[in-house]
Amino acid sequence: MPSFNVRFIKIVCDDAGGKHRASEAAFTVDAASLAAAAQRAELDFCKQKSIRDWTTAADVLELRAPAA
């Protein structure tokens, strides 16, 4: 089963109006497909943060297959 690297990113603004990407969480998910990995990652992130919707704590979900 393939593994996927997952990062949840929050976009934050500094006091000068610049936007920056802050990592809220990063972990590895084993799943049969990219879609299954995204679904599993969302569930794990919500459980970890005790929230129902991952978009309340992050703006972006990045999924990457590890380099061979």
Side-chain angles (χ1 to χ4, degrees), residues 31-46:
S33 68
L34 187 63
Q39 188 175 38
R40 174 69 188 267
E42 290 171 7
L43 290 172
D44 289 350
F45 182 73
C46 287

Side-chain angles (χ1 to χ4, degrees), residues 1-41:
M1 183 175 298
S3 295
F4 297 89
N5 294 326
V6 181
R7 283 192 341 156
F8 287 86
I9 307 293
K10 184 73 174 174
I11 307 298
V12 295
C13 294
D14 61 22
D15 52 348
K19 293 183 179 181
H20 303 278
R21 296 166 52 96
S23 180
E24 290 294 313
F27 47 93
T28 302
V29 174
D30 294 329
S33 68
L34 187 63
Q39 188 175 38
R40 174 69 188 267

Side-chain angles (χ1 to χ4, degrees), residues 34-57:
L34 187 63
Q39 188 175 38
R40 174 69 188 267
E42 290 171 7
L43 290 172
D44 289 350
F45 182 73
C46 287
K47 187 174 183 178
Q48 183 182 69
K49 298 287 187 183
S50 299
I51 56 177
R52 290 186 180 182
D53 181 3
W54 70 270
T55 60
T56 60

